[in-house]
Amino acid sequence: MAGEFIGPVLLWLAVIKALQLGTWPALDRTLGSLAAAAAYPASVLLFTLLSWYCGLLGLPIWLALLPFLAAIVLAGSRGFYTRERLRPALPWDLAFLVPFLFMLEVRWINPTISYAEKFMDHAFIASIMRQPIVPPLDPWYAGGTLDVYYYIGYWMSGVLGLASGVSSTVTFNLVLPTVLGLAVVSLYALGHLLLDRYRWLPVLLLFIPNPSAIYHIAIGDSWFDVLWGSTRTIANTINEYPLFSMLWGDVHPHVMSFFNQGFLLFLLVFAYMRWGTLSMRGRAILCGLAALALGSMPGINSWDVLVYAPVTLVFGLLIWWRYGNLALDKKRSWMMLAVVPPLAIAAYLPFYLQLDSPGIGGIGIVPTPSEPVEFLLVHGFFLAVLVASCARDIRKRPYLLLAAVPFMLAGYPAAAVVAIPLVYLLARRRFAATDTLAILGLLIVLITEIIYLKDNMGETYFRMNTVFKFYLPAWILMGTASLAIVGEWLQSVRVGRRMPAGMEKVLPALAVALLLAAPFAINVGFGYGSHTLDGAAYLEGSHPGDAAAIAFLRDLPGNHIIIEAEGGDYTYYSRISSFSGIPGIIGMPFHEYMWRGDGGRISERSADVRTIYEQPSRTVDLARAYNATLLYVGVEERDRYRVSIPADALELIYDARGVQIYRIPA
C-alpha cells in the first residue's frame, strides 16, 4: 500500500525543491553559506504570498510557480548550480529530508482525519483546493468565507497540494512533515549563528518533551496518558510542546507556524550579528525576508504576531544601538526597525482589510495563577539551564534575588521563579543574541502569569488560549537560548576531553537512524492507524457508504452548497463538507460561534437543517434560501433526524450503499 504514495510524495518534494532552488540564488550573496538553508522556508512563504495574490486577483494558482522556474533557468544559464556549490549545500537538504521522513512515517502510521481538530483542518484545505479563491469559502457556513479566521497556513498547504497534483486527503498528511523539515532547517541555521560546534542543539527543542512527560513516564502512565497528561499540566489550560503537537497530528495554525517562527528568529539573529558586513542590497534583502516572515504570521497564526512583532522591534532596536548608536548612520542600522514592520503589514494588507474576526475582548488580570510545581513541570528544563547559566552572577549579586519578592507577595509564585533568571540576564546588560532570546522567552511566560486575553472560552477556561498560544513561542525562544547555552558549555570543555572527530560523525548518523526507527518503536497510532497517507482511507471500512459518496462528490463539477446533518463539534457529523470541501449550511457550530458570534445566527442554521430533513413542505424553499444545490441523506442523517423529504420534488443524482444525494431544483 505504501508504494502507491511514492509518486505523490516525490512530486511534493520536487515542488519544495524547485521553490528552494529558485530562491537560493537571490539570497546567496547576502546569506552566504546559509543561503541554501534560508531558501527552504523563504521560498515556501514567498510561494504562499504570490499564490495568494493570484487567488485574490482571480488568476490561476500555477502562475505563482513561474517566477521560481524562471529564476532556476536564469541561475542555471549563469552557472550557479555547480558541483562546488551544491555539495556544501547537501547537509541542508538532509536537514530538511530527515525530519520530513520521520513525520512522514508518523503520518503513515496514523493518517486518519478522524479526531481532534483534523476534520476542521482538512475541511479548510479541501475547500481551498476545490476553489482557490480569496478569501476562501467557509466549508461549514454556506455563503460565508474564511475571512473570520487566520487561514494562510491552510492556503499554503492547499496550494502546495495543487502545485504537486496531490489530493487533499494526502496533502493533509504531507503538511506536517514539511513543517517539521522547514523548522529543523531554520533552527539548524540558527545554530550556525549561535555556536561554533554542536550547531544541531537548537533543533532538539522540536524533539524533547517537557518535564511533565518524564513525570508521567516515571509513575507508569500509558503512552497516550504521557502525551495527553503532559500537555494538560497547568490546570484548565493547554501546555503543548512541539513534539506532542507533531505526534498528535493536527494540521492546525499553532503547529504550521513552527517553521516561520524559527525562520524569523534566524533572520533577526543574523541581522544582529552580521549587519555591519552586509552590503546595502544585502540589508534590503534581509529586511524583505524579515517582513515576509513577520507579515505572514497574522495569517498563519495570529497569536504569534503578538509575540514576534515586539521581538522584531527589540532586535531592531538592538541592531540600531549596536551598529549606529541610535543615530541615522551610513550603515542604515535603523532599517530593521523602520522598514520591517510597515513592509510586513503591506505584504498581506488585503488580508487584514478583509479580516472580519471578533478578535479578543480585552485584557484581564489572572486571578488564579499557575501552581509552581505545575509550572516547573512545563518549563523546568529550560529554567534550570537559564538559572544555572546565571549562577556566577547570583554569587556576585545575591541581592537581586529580591526581585522575586514582589511577585510572591502579590500571589504569583510561578512569576517569582521566572523573575530570578530574568533579572540577572537583564542586569548583565550585554544583550548577546542568546541572552536576548532567553530574556524574551522569560518575559512571555512572566506576562502570561499575570494577564490573559479575554475570549469566549468561559469562566473555567478563561486562560486556556492565552497559555496555549503564548507558551509555544516561549518554548521556542527559551529552548533556543537554553540549548545554545548547553552548546557553549560543551564548547568550553578542554580540548583533551572533547569528543573524537570520528565520533562526532557517527553520532549524527546514529541519531538519524534512531529518529527514523522511533515511529515504529513507539505507539504513534493512538488506535487510529491505517498505514496509508490517505487520511480518508479508513472510511472504506468504517463508513463505506460515505466513502463512495464522497468520492462521487469530489469529482462532481460545478460550485455547490450541500445540506448534511449537523451534530456538534469534534464529531463525525459535517463529514461530507469536511472531506469534499463543498460548503454545508452549518458544521461544528461552536467553532462557527467563536468566529462569528451571535451575528452568525448559528443555532438558527442548525434548526433550519433539521427542518429541511423533517418537514417536507419546507424542504425546497428553505434549501433555496441558503442557495443549496445538493441534499445528502446517509446513515448519520437518518440517525440524527426523522428524515422525511419530498423526493418527488428533488432530482436523485446518486444512490448507492445506503446513501442518496439529491439535486435541489433551481
Side-chain angles (χ1 to χ4, degrees), residues 58-101:
L59 300 174
I61 296 303
W62 59 264
L63 290 177
L65 288 171
L66 295 183
F68 298 93
L69 299 178
I72 291 173
V73 172
L74 179 62
S77 67
R78 295 177 175 177
F80 180 84
Y81 305 110
T82 62
R83 180 178 298 180
E84 291 73 19
R85 185 174 272 116
L86 292 173
R87 184 177 294 171
L90 183 60
W92 300 116
D93 296 326
L94 293 176
F96 171 79
L97 186 61
V98 170
F100 178 92
L101 293 176

Short mmCIF file of all heavy atoms in Angstrom, two decimals, residues 58-101:
data_model
loop_
_atom_site.label_atom_id
_atom_site.label_comp_id
_atom_site.label_asym_id
_atom_site.label_seq_id
_atom_site.Cartn_x
_atom_site.Cartn_y
_atom_site.Cartn_z
N GLY A 58 -7.99 36.51 -8.98
CA GLY A 58 -8.72 35.60 -9.85
C GLY A 58 -7.87 34.95 -10.92
O GLY A 58 -8.38 34.50 -11.95
N LEU A 59 -6.55 34.85 -10.67
CA LEU A 59 -5.63 34.24 -11.63
C LEU A 59 -5.36 32.79 -11.25
O LEU A 59 -5.48 32.40 -10.08
CB LEU A 59 -4.31 35.02 -11.66
CG LEU A 59 -4.41 36.50 -12.05
CD1 LEU A 59 -3.05 37.17 -11.88
CD2 LEU A 59 -4.90 36.64 -13.48
N PRO A 60 -4.96 31.95 -12.22
CA PRO A 60 -4.62 30.56 -11.90
C PRO A 60 -3.47 30.49 -10.90
O PRO A 60 -2.49 31.23 -11.01
CB PRO A 60 -4.22 29.97 -13.25
CG PRO A 60 -4.85 30.86 -14.27
CD PRO A 60 -4.87 32.23 -13.66
N ILE A 61 -3.58 29.57 -9.97
CA ILE A 61 -2.58 29.44 -8.91
C ILE A 61 -1.21 29.06 -9.47
O ILE A 61 -0.17 29.48 -8.96
CB ILE A 61 -3.05 28.40 -7.88
CG1 ILE A 61 -4.32 28.89 -7.19
CG2 ILE A 61 -1.96 28.13 -6.85
CD1 ILE A 61 -4.20 30.22 -6.51
N TRP A 62 -1.18 28.27 -10.55
CA TRP A 62 0.09 27.79 -11.08
C TRP A 62 0.98 28.93 -11.56
O TRP A 62 2.21 28.75 -11.69
CB TRP A 62 -0.12 26.78 -12.20
CG TRP A 62 -0.89 27.29 -13.39
CD1 TRP A 62 -2.22 27.15 -13.63
CD2 TRP A 62 -0.36 28.03 -14.51
NE1 TRP A 62 -2.57 27.76 -14.81
CE2 TRP A 62 -1.44 28.29 -15.38
CE3 TRP A 62 0.91 28.48 -14.85
CZ2 TRP A 62 -1.28 29.00 -16.57
CZ3 TRP A 62 1.08 29.17 -16.04
CH2 TRP A 62 -0.01 29.43 -16.88
N LEU A 63 0.41 30.11 -11.79
CA LEU A 63 1.23 31.24 -12.22
C LEU A 63 2.27 31.62 -11.16
O LEU A 63 3.32 32.17 -11.49
CB LEU A 63 0.34 32.45 -12.52
CG LEU A 63 -0.54 32.38 -13.77
CD1 LEU A 63 -1.42 33.62 -13.86
CD2 LEU A 63 0.31 32.22 -15.02
N ALA A 64 1.97 31.31 -9.90
CA ALA A 64 2.91 31.63 -8.83
C ALA A 64 4.18 30.81 -8.92
O ALA A 64 5.20 31.17 -8.30
CB ALA A 64 2.25 31.42 -7.47
N LEU A 65 4.16 29.71 -9.66
CA LEU A 65 5.36 28.89 -9.84
C LEU A 65 6.33 29.50 -10.86
O LEU A 65 7.54 29.22 -10.81
CB LEU A 65 4.98 27.48 -10.31
CG LEU A 65 4.33 26.55 -9.28
CD1 LEU A 65 3.83 25.29 -9.97
CD2 LEU A 65 5.32 26.19 -8.19
N LEU A 66 5.81 30.31 -11.76
CA LEU A 66 6.63 30.79 -12.88
C LEU A 66 7.86 31.59 -12.43
O LEU A 66 8.95 31.40 -13.00
CB LEU A 66 5.77 31.62 -13.84
CG LEU A 66 4.65 30.84 -14.56
CD1 LEU A 66 3.91 31.75 -15.54
CD2 LEU A 66 5.22 29.63 -15.29
N PRO A 67 7.76 32.50 -11.46
CA PRO A 67 8.97 33.22 -11.05
C PRO A 67 10.07 32.31 -10.55
O PRO A 67 11.26 32.56 -10.81
CB PRO A 67 8.46 34.15 -9.93
CG PRO A 67 7.00 34.32 -10.19
CD PRO A 67 6.56 33.00 -10.75
N PHE A 68 9.71 31.23 -9.87
CA PHE A 68 10.71 30.29 -9.35
C PHE A 68 11.36 29.52 -10.49
O PHE A 68 12.59 29.33 -10.51
CB PHE A 68 10.07 29.34 -8.34
CG PHE A 68 9.52 30.03 -7.14
CD1 PHE A 68 8.18 30.43 -7.09
CD2 PHE A 68 10.32 30.31 -6.04
CE1 PHE A 68 7.67 31.08 -5.99
CE2 PHE A 68 9.81 30.96 -4.93
CZ PHE A 68 8.47 31.35 -4.90
N LEU A 69 10.54 29.07 -11.44
CA LEU A 69 11.08 28.33 -12.58
C LEU A 69 11.96 29.23 -13.43
O LEU A 69 13.03 28.82 -13.91
CB LEU A 69 9.94 27.75 -13.41
CG LEU A 69 9.03 26.75 -12.68
CD1 LEU A 69 7.90 26.28 -13.59
CD2 LEU A 69 9.83 25.55 -12.18
N ALA A 70 11.53 30.48 -13.61
CA ALA A 70 12.33 31.43 -14.39
C ALA A 70 13.66 31.70 -13.68
O ALA A 70 14.71 31.80 -14.34
CB ALA A 70 11.56 32.73 -14.58
N ALA A 71 13.63 31.79 -12.36
CA ALA A 71 14.86 32.02 -11.60
C ALA A 71 15.82 30.85 -11.73
O ALA A 71 17.04 31.04 -11.82
CB ALA A 71 14.52 32.28 -10.13
N ILE A 72 15.28 29.62 -11.76
CA ILE A 72 16.12 28.44 -11.93
C ILE A 72 16.80 28.47 -13.30
O ILE A 72 18.01 28.21 -13.43
CB ILE A 72 15.29 27.16 -11.76
CG1 ILE A 72 14.85 27.00 -10.30
CG2 ILE A 72 16.09 25.93 -12.19
CD1 ILE A 72 13.88 25.86 -10.07
N VAL A 73 16.03 28.78 -14.33
CA VAL A 73 16.58 28.83 -15.69
C VAL A 73 17.66 29.91 -15.77
O VAL A 73 18.75 29.69 -16.33
CB VAL A 73 15.46 29.10 -16.71
CG1 VAL A 73 16.05 29.36 -18.10
CG2 VAL A 73 14.49 27.91 -16.76
N LEU A 74 17.37 31.09 -15.21
CA LEU A 74 18.33 32.19 -15.28
C LEU A 74 19.61 31.85 -14.52
O LEU A 74 20.73 32.05 -15.03
CB LEU A 74 17.69 33.46 -14.71
CG LEU A 74 18.58 34.71 -14.68
CD1 LEU A 74 18.98 35.10 -16.10
CD2 LEU A 74 17.86 35.86 -14.00
N ALA A 75 19.45 31.34 -13.29
CA ALA A 75 20.64 31.00 -12.50
C ALA A 75 21.42 29.86 -13.14
O ALA A 75 22.65 29.85 -13.13
CB ALA A 75 20.21 30.61 -11.08
N GLY A 76 20.69 28.89 -13.71
CA GLY A 76 21.37 27.79 -14.39
C GLY A 76 22.16 28.26 -15.59
O GLY A 76 23.28 27.79 -15.83
N SER A 77 21.61 29.20 -16.34
CA SER A 77 22.32 29.72 -17.52
C SER A 77 23.57 30.49 -17.13
O SER A 77 24.49 30.64 -17.93
CB SER A 77 21.38 30.62 -18.33
OG SER A 77 21.06 31.81 -17.60
N ARG A 78 23.60 30.98 -15.90
CA ARG A 78 24.76 31.72 -15.41
C ARG A 78 25.73 30.84 -14.64
O ARG A 78 26.69 31.34 -14.04
CB ARG A 78 24.30 32.88 -14.53
CG ARG A 78 23.51 33.95 -15.29
CD ARG A 78 23.03 35.04 -14.36
NE ARG A 78 22.38 36.12 -15.09
CZ ARG A 78 21.82 37.18 -14.52
NH1 ARG A 78 21.83 37.31 -13.19
NH2 ARG A 78 21.24 38.13 -15.26
N GLY A 79 25.46 29.53 -14.62
CA GLY A 79 26.37 28.59 -13.98
C GLY A 79 26.33 28.61 -12.46
O GLY A 79 27.33 28.32 -11.80
N PHE A 80 25.16 28.92 -11.89
CA PHE A 80 25.06 28.99 -10.43
C PHE A 80 25.11 27.61 -9.79
O PHE A 80 25.77 27.41 -8.77
CB PHE A 80 23.77 29.70 -10.03
CG PHE A 80 23.59 29.83 -8.54
CD1 PHE A 80 24.19 30.87 -7.85
CD2 PHE A 80 22.85 28.91 -7.82
CE1 PHE A 80 24.05 30.99 -6.47
CE2 PHE A 80 22.69 29.01 -6.45
CZ PHE A 80 23.30 30.06 -5.77
N TYR A 81 24.42 26.64 -10.38
CA TYR A 81 24.27 25.33 -9.74
C TYR A 81 25.45 24.43 -10.08
O TYR A 81 25.33 23.42 -10.78
CB TYR A 81 22.96 24.68 -10.18
CG TYR A 81 21.74 25.54 -9.92
CD1 TYR A 81 21.05 26.12 -10.98
CD2 TYR A 81 21.30 25.80 -8.63
CE1 TYR A 81 19.93 26.92 -10.75
CE2 TYR A 81 20.20 26.60 -8.39
CZ TYR A 81 19.52 27.16 -9.45
OH TYR A 81 18.42 27.95 -9.23
N THR A 82 26.61 24.78 -9.59
CA THR A 82 27.81 23.99 -9.82
C THR A 82 27.96 22.93 -8.73
O THR A 82 27.36 23.03 -7.65
CB THR A 82 29.05 24.89 -9.81
OG1 THR A 82 29.17 25.50 -8.51
CG2 THR A 82 28.95 25.97 -10.88
N ARG A 83 28.79 21.95 -9.01
CA ARG A 83 29.04 20.91 -8.02
C ARG A 83 29.66 21.51 -6.76
O ARG A 83 29.34 21.10 -5.64
CB ARG A 83 29.97 19.85 -8.60
CG ARG A 83 30.31 18.71 -7.63
CD ARG A 83 31.20 17.68 -8.29
NE ARG A 83 30.54 17.05 -9.43
CZ ARG A 83 31.12 16.10 -10.18
NH1 ARG A 83 32.36 15.71 -9.91
NH2 ARG A 83 30.47 15.58 -11.19
N GLU A 84 30.53 22.49 -6.95
CA GLU A 84 31.20 23.13 -5.81
C GLU A 84 30.20 23.86 -4.91
O GLU A 84 30.43 24.01 -3.71
CB GLU A 84 32.26 24.11 -6.30
CG GLU A 84 33.47 23.45 -6.95
CD GLU A 84 33.16 22.90 -8.33
OE1 GLU A 84 32.15 23.34 -8.93
OE2 GLU A 84 33.90 22.02 -8.80
N ARG A 85 29.09 24.32 -5.48
CA ARG A 85 28.09 25.00 -4.68
C ARG A 85 27.03 24.03 -4.14
O ARG A 85 26.53 24.20 -3.02
CB ARG A 85 27.41 26.09 -5.51
CG ARG A 85 26.43 26.94 -4.71
CD ARG A 85 25.89 28.10 -5.51
NE ARG A 85 26.74 29.29 -5.41
CZ ARG A 85 27.39 29.83 -6.41
NH1 ARG A 85 27.32 29.28 -7.62
NH2 ARG A 85 28.12 30.92 -6.24
N LEU A 86 26.68 23.02 -4.91
CA LEU A 86 25.63 22.08 -4.50
C LEU A 86 26.10 21.13 -3.40
O LEU A 86 25.32 20.79 -2.50
CB LEU A 86 25.14 21.28 -5.71
CG LEU A 86 24.37 22.07 -6.77
CD1 LEU A 86 24.11 21.18 -7.99
CD2 LEU A 86 23.06 22.59 -6.21
N ARG A 87 27.37 20.71 -3.47
CA ARG A 87 27.85 19.73 -2.49
C ARG A 87 27.83 20.28 -1.07
O ARG A 87 27.34 19.61 -0.16
CB ARG A 87 29.24 19.26 -2.88
CG ARG A 87 29.78 18.15 -1.95
CD ARG A 87 31.13 17.67 -2.44
NE ARG A 87 31.03 17.00 -3.72
CZ ARG A 87 32.09 16.63 -4.45
NH1 ARG A 87 33.31 16.89 -4.02
NH2 ARG A 87 31.92 16.00 -5.60
N PRO A 88 28.34 21.50 -0.82
CA PRO A 88 28.26 22.02 0.56
C PRO A 88 26.84 22.25 1.05
O PRO A 88 26.60 22.33 2.25
CB PRO A 88 29.03 23.35 0.48
CG PRO A 88 29.88 23.24 -0.74
CD PRO A 88 29.10 22.41 -1.69
N ALA A 89 25.90 22.36 0.11
CA ALA A 89 24.50 22.59 0.49
C ALA A 89 23.77 21.29 0.80
O ALA A 89 22.63 21.33 1.29
CB ALA A 89 23.77 23.34 -0.62
N LEU A 90 24.40 20.17 0.54
CA LEU A 90 23.74 18.88 0.78
C LEU A 90 23.29 18.69 2.22
O LEU A 90 22.19 18.16 2.47
CB LEU A 90 24.65 17.74 0.34
CG LEU A 90 24.07 16.32 0.46
CD1 LEU A 90 22.82 16.18 -0.40
CD2 LEU A 90 25.12 15.27 0.05
N PRO A 91 24.09 19.11 3.22
CA PRO A 91 23.60 18.96 4.61
C PRO A 91 22.27 19.67 4.87
O PRO A 91 21.47 19.19 5.68
CB PRO A 91 24.74 19.58 5.44
CG PRO A 91 25.96 19.40 4.60
CD PRO A 91 25.49 19.56 3.19
N TRP A 92 22.02 20.77 4.17
CA TRP A 92 20.74 21.45 4.36
C TRP A 92 19.60 20.64 3.74
O TRP A 92 18.49 20.63 4.28
CB TRP A 92 20.78 22.84 3.74
CG TRP A 92 21.83 23.71 4.35
CD1 TRP A 92 22.92 24.24 3.75
CD2 TRP A 92 21.88 24.14 5.72
NE1 TRP A 92 23.67 24.98 4.64
CE2 TRP A 92 23.05 24.93 5.86
CE3 TRP A 92 21.07 23.94 6.83
CZ2 TRP A 92 23.42 25.52 7.07
CZ3 TRP A 92 21.44 24.52 8.04
CH2 TRP A 92 22.59 25.30 8.15
N ASP A 93 19.88 19.97 2.63
CA ASP A 93 18.87 19.09 2.04
C ASP A 93 18.54 17.95 2.99
O ASP A 93 17.38 17.59 3.17
CB ASP A 93 19.36 18.53 0.70
CG ASP A 93 19.57 19.61 -0.34
OD1 ASP A 93 18.80 20.59 -0.33
OD2 ASP A 93 20.49 19.48 -1.17
N LEU A 94 19.58 17.41 3.62
CA LEU A 94 19.35 16.32 4.58
C LEU A 94 18.65 16.84 5.84
O LEU A 94 17.82 16.14 6.42
CB LEU A 94 20.70 15.67 4.95
CG LEU A 94 21.40 14.93 3.83
CD1 LEU A 94 22.77 14.43 4.30
CD2 LEU A 94 20.55 13.75 3.33
N ALA A 95 18.99 18.07 6.24
CA ALA A 95 18.34 18.65 7.41
C ALA A 95 16.84 18.80 7.19
O ALA A 95 16.05 18.74 8.14
CB ALA A 95 18.96 20.00 7.75
N PHE A 96 16.44 19.01 5.95
CA PHE A 96 15.01 19.05 5.63
C PHE A 96 14.44 17.64 5.47
O PHE A 96 13.37 17.31 5.99
CB PHE A 96 14.76 19.84 4.35
CG PHE A 96 13.34 19.74 3.85
CD1 PHE A 96 12.34 20.51 4.42
CD2 PHE A 96 12.99 18.85 2.83
CE1 PHE A 96 11.02 20.42 4.00
CE2 PHE A 96 11.68 18.74 2.40
CZ PHE A 96 10.69 19.53 2.99
N LEU A 97 15.16 16.79 4.75
CA LEU A 97 14.61 15.49 4.35
C LEU A 97 14.46 14.53 5.52
O LEU A 97 13.45 13.82 5.60
CB LEU A 97 15.50 14.87 3.27
CG LEU A 97 14.98 13.58 2.63
CD1 LEU A 97 13.64 13.82 1.95
CD2 LEU A 97 16.00 13.03 1.64
N VAL A 98 15.42 14.49 6.42
CA VAL A 98 15.36 13.50 7.51
C VAL A 98 14.15 13.74 8.41
O VAL A 98 13.36 12.81 8.66
CB VAL A 98 16.67 13.49 8.31
CG1 VAL A 98 16.52 12.66 9.59
CG2 VAL A 98 17.81 12.93 7.46
N PRO A 99 13.93 14.95 8.94
CA PRO A 99 12.70 15.14 9.74
C PRO A 99 11.44 15.00 8.91
O PRO A 99 10.40 14.59 9.44
CB PRO A 99 12.86 16.57 10.29
CG PRO A 99 13.89 17.22 9.44
CD PRO A 99 14.79 16.14 8.97
N PHE A 100 11.50 15.34 7.62
CA PHE A 100 10.35 15.12 6.75
C PHE A 100 9.99 13.64 6.73
O PHE A 100 8.81 13.27 6.87
CB PHE A 100 10.66 15.61 5.34
CG PHE A 100 9.56 15.38 4.34
CD1 PHE A 100 8.59 16.34 4.12
CD2 PHE A 100 9.48 14.18 3.63
CE1 PHE A 100 7.56 16.12 3.21
CE2 PHE A 100 8.45 13.96 2.72
CZ PHE A 100 7.50 14.93 2.51
N LEU A 101 11.01 12.78 6.58
CA LEU A 101 10.75 11.34 6.54
C LEU A 101 10.26 10.82 7.89
O LEU A 101 9.40 9.93 7.94
CB LEU A 101 12.01 10.60 6.11
CG LEU A 101 12.46 10.83 4.66
CD1 LEU A 101 13.79 10.13 4.39
CD2 LEU A 101 11.40 10.36 3.68
#
